[in-house]
């Protein structure tokens, strides 16, 4: 791997091999000889990230802030936050001859990753970890560049949606009329949350925006060690992070499960995550944020249905796919999860309210 030569890795590189299940970047594990640290090398997806220098700058600001906090708490800044490995000429990224952007960071070893939460206790630890992550960033004053305009902005998502439907570039629209109706029938309900954010009823915070469970490294005791995949750190609603975590932790099936009977929201996991999250986040959440927590799980899951279906109609330009039906399979699986959340919505609201009341006793 030629790009690897340009980074200031300690030790001699033994092998560079593919790693992980990310849907966006190409990730590689850099193994070094002997006791030197290992690394992660990534080719960042420039179709999605239009300003990778600004993205790396955001990540640098956020990880520097996190490290200061971790050191103050007596933690290990090399394991509890990502550490960017610069290039030999001390840049945060390497731009190769083909115009591809590469970045590297320290590999954090002895960790566990999950595709879903297998117990309420694990979910609670995950929730606590994201609560702590948000709390550590709550006083970060340095502005972040808006490198993904409109990322969880439902107005923007519907603009993209309307354009793709109008173009129907690969003539797939007629096959998915039923699925399109799933989106249209919820348009106003979903836009309403973003409107509250735009109106200032819900505050702007520094948020991760991609808190699915495989973007978290757990230690061997099952505690959150490090929140990774910081490409999407932005100033947005912290509800995105709660909602996206619920979408991935609570799903009894896979994000792209073909067996829809396996896909539903596990309420014990919902309760576990929410309990862990609120144990930290109760200290900073406003009443409007608390009031919209349960809804944010539906919001982010709906957005994911929209994004997978939109990518299918658009001809699979955004997400990595294994075949031409993959985005449609993902759409149906995420829709099944959304339906399950809708059926359990009253219970979700009751759980949030009860946990908040207990914490305030
Ligand atoms: P993508 O944006 O494509 O999802 P990620 O940054 O999430 O890429 O990386 C993909 C996978 O690589 C992660 O799910 C995790 O398993 C592993 N990984 C990434 N960074 C690290 C790290 N610093 N230490 C250990 N494992 C990592
Ligand atoms: C992408 O990068 P990764 O695989 O962790 C996507 C998320 C989606 C997720 C669905 C930048 O996350 O928004 O929720 O896939 N990231 C980006 O699995 O679009
Ligand atoms: Mg990832």
């Amino acid at each position: 791997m030629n790009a690897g030569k340009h980074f200031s890795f300690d030790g001699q590189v033994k092998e560079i091999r593919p790693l992980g299940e990310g849907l966006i970047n190409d990730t590689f594990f850099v193994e070094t000889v002997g006791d030197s640290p290992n690394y992660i090398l990534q080719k960042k997806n420039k179709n999605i990230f239009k300003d990778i220098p600004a993205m790396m700058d955001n990540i640098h600001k956020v990880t520097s802030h996190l490290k200061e906090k971790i050191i103050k708490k007596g933690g290990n800044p090399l394991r509890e936050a990502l550490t960017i490995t610069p290039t030999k000429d001390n840049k945060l990224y390497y731009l190769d001859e083909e115009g591809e952007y590469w970045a590297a960071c320290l590999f954090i070893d002895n960790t566990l990753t999950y595709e879903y939460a297998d117990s309420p206790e694990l979910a609670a630890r995950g929730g606590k970890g994201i609560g702590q992550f948000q709390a550590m960033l709550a006083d970060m004053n340095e502005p972040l560049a808006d490198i993904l305009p409109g990322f969880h902005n439902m107005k923007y998502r519907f603009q993209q949606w309307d354009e793709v439907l109008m173009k129907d570039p690969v003539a797939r629209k007629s096959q998915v009329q039923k699925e399109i109706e799933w989106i249209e029938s919820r348009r106003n309900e979903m836009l309403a949350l973003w409107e509250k954010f735009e109106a200032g009823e819900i505050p702007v915070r520094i948020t991760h925006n991609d808190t699915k469970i495989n973007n978290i490294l757990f230690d061997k005791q099952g505690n959150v060690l490090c929140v990774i995949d910081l490409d999407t750190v932005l100033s947005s609603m912290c509800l995105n992070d709660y909602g996206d975590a619920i979408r991935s932790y609570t799903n009894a099936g896979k994000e792209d499960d073909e067996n829809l009977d396996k896909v539903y929201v596990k309420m014990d996991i919902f309760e576990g995550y929410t309990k862990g999250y609120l144990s930290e986040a109760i200290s900073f959440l406003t009443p409007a944020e608390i009031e919209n927590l349960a809804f944010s799980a539906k919001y982010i899951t709906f957005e994911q249905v929209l994004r997978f279906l939109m990518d299918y109609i658009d001809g699979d330009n955004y997400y990595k796919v294994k075949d031409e039906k993959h985005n449609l399979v993902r759409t149906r699986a995420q829709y099944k999860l959304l339906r399950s959340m809708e059926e359990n919505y009253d219970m979700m609201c009751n759980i949030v309210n009860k946990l908040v009341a207990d914490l305030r006793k």
Side-chain angles (χ1 to χ4, degrees):
M1 179 80 40
N2 204 28
K5 297 194 185 86
H6 298 271
F7 287 87
S8 57
F9 297 136
D10 273 345
Q12 190 191 333
V13 174
K14 188 167 152 196
E15 198 195 359
I16 300 185
R17 53 179 183 273
L19 176 85
E21 309 240 338
L23 270 53
I24 304 292
N25 299 311
D26 293 331
T27 305
F28 301 87
F29 175 68
V30 181
E31 189 182 352
T32 58
V33 177
D35 288 341
S36 302
N38 297 316
Y39 297 88
I40 289 283
L41 177 65
Q42 272 187 335
K43 184 166 92 180
K44 299 289 184 182
N45 188 325
K46 65 173 180 187
N47 294 330
I48 292 177
F49 303 112
K50 306 287 185 207
D51 189 348
I52 291 168
M55 175 177 96
M56 291 307 299
D57 201 45
N58 280 352
I59 299 177
H60 184 243
K61 284 180 180 155
V62 165
T63 52
S64 304
H65 187 90
L66 290 172
K67 282 174 191 295
E68 265 178 43
K69 294 274 160 133
I70 292 164
I71 291 167
K72 273 193 197 140
K73 284 200 297 191
N76 181 346
L78 296 177
R79 289 185 63 75
E80 295 172 36
L82 280 185
T83 306
I84 299 177
T85 307
T87 58
K88 286 179 177 160
D89 56 357
N90 210 24
K91 286 219 183 82
L92 299 174
Y93 60 88
Y94 166 67
L95 176 60
D96 73 15
E97 308 75 39
E98 283 155 28
E100 299 292 348
Y101 287 86
W102 296 81
C105 62
L106 264 187
F107 178 78
I108 303 169
D109 58 8
N110 276 315
T111 65
L112 298 170
T113 47
Y114 298 87
E115 289 302 315
Y116 64 95
D118 52 15
S119 71
E121 292 72 33
L122 179 78
R125 288 172 176 161
K128 194 172 163 62
I130 291 298
Q132 282 169 343
F133 178 84
Q134 290 181 341
M136 284 194 283
L137 294 173
D139 63 344
M140 190 177 146
N141 296 321
E142 281 212 67
L144 294 183
D146 187 11
I147 53 115
L148 283 170
F151 195 54
H152 288 305
N153 171 340
M154 200 58 78
K155 265 194 192 162
Y156 173 76
R157 291 298 177 196
F158 270 110
Q159 276 163 21
Q160 284 186 310
W161 167 259
D162 290 337
E163 274 169 35
V164 168
L165 256 68
M166 206 151 67
K167 286 191 192 133
D168 190 18
V170 287
R172 286 181 175 171
K173 198 169 103 179
S174 62
Q175 311 157 18
V176 287
Q177 287 305 310
K178 179 182 71 193
E179 287 81 0
I180 290 174
E181 190 45 35
W182 296 342
I183 302 297
E184 292 299 343
S185 60
R186 292 168 178 81
R187 189 186 275 255
N188 293 339
E189 180 195 6
M190 294 298 162
L191 282 169
L193 177 59
W194 190 261
E195 280 157 9
K196 285 185 203 167
F197 177 63
E198 276 189 340
E201 285 172 45
I202 293 171
V204 181
R205 299 185 189 277
I206 297 207
T207 51
H208 183 285
N209 298 298
D210 192 5
T211 46
K212 68 177 176 184
I213 190 166
N214 71 9
N215 284 331
I216 289 173
L217 302 177
F218 290 83
D219 66 17
K220 294 278 159 77
Q221 288 71 47
N223 293 313
V224 169
L225 180 67
C226 181
V227 180
I228 60 168
D229 202 348
L230 299 178
D231 297 349
T232 53
V233 283
L234 292 167
S235 301
S236 190
M237 300 193 287
C238 73
L239 294 172
N240 303 338
D241 291 356
Y242 175 81
D244 200 38
I246 295 298
R247 177 183 77 80
S248 72
Y249 280 69
T250 66
N251 188 351
K254 291 190 292 192
E255 191 176 78
D256 58 354
D257 224 309
E258 296 201 39
N259 182 352
L260 295 182
D261 291 339
K262 286 195 178 160
V263 178
Y264 57 91
V265 57
K266 290 175 83 172
M267 290 305 293
D268 58 338
I269 302 288
F270 176 85
E271 182 162 4
Y273 186 90
T274 308
K275 195 171 180 182
Y277 177 67
L278 283 173
S279 70
E280 292 290 328
I282 194 84
S283 64
F284 61 82
L285 290 178
T286 65
E289 285 171 320
I290 291 174
E291 204 176 290
N292 287 287
L293 275 180
F295 187 81
S296 74
K298 292 199 290 183
Y299 179 94
I300 294 288
T301 307
F302 170 86
E303 187 195 341
Q304 201 60 69
V305 180
L306 184 157
R307 290 173 66 195
F308 284 145
L309 182 57
M310 182 164 71
D311 198 33
Y312 177 72
I313 298 171
D314 197 34
D316 308 317
N317 292 311
Y318 191 96
Y319 292 109
K320 289 183 193 166
V321 286
K322 60 178 188 219
D323 57 49
E324 63 166 44
K325 289 275 183 247
H326 200 173
N327 270 320
L328 191 53
V329 169
R330 288 172 173 144
T331 303
R332 290 177 178 149
Q334 289 286 291
Y335 181 66
K336 173 71 200 298
L337 183 67
L338 175 63
R339 291 286 302 129
S340 173
M341 286 180 182
E342 288 174 343
E343 279 155 20
N344 286 284
Y345 187 57
D346 288 346
M347 211 194 298
M348 286 161 66
C349 293
N350 291 340
I351 289 172
V352 171
N353 292 338
K354 179 171 182 315
L355 289 170
V356 170
D358 286 352
L359 282 164
R360 292 210 166 125
K361 261 183 202 153

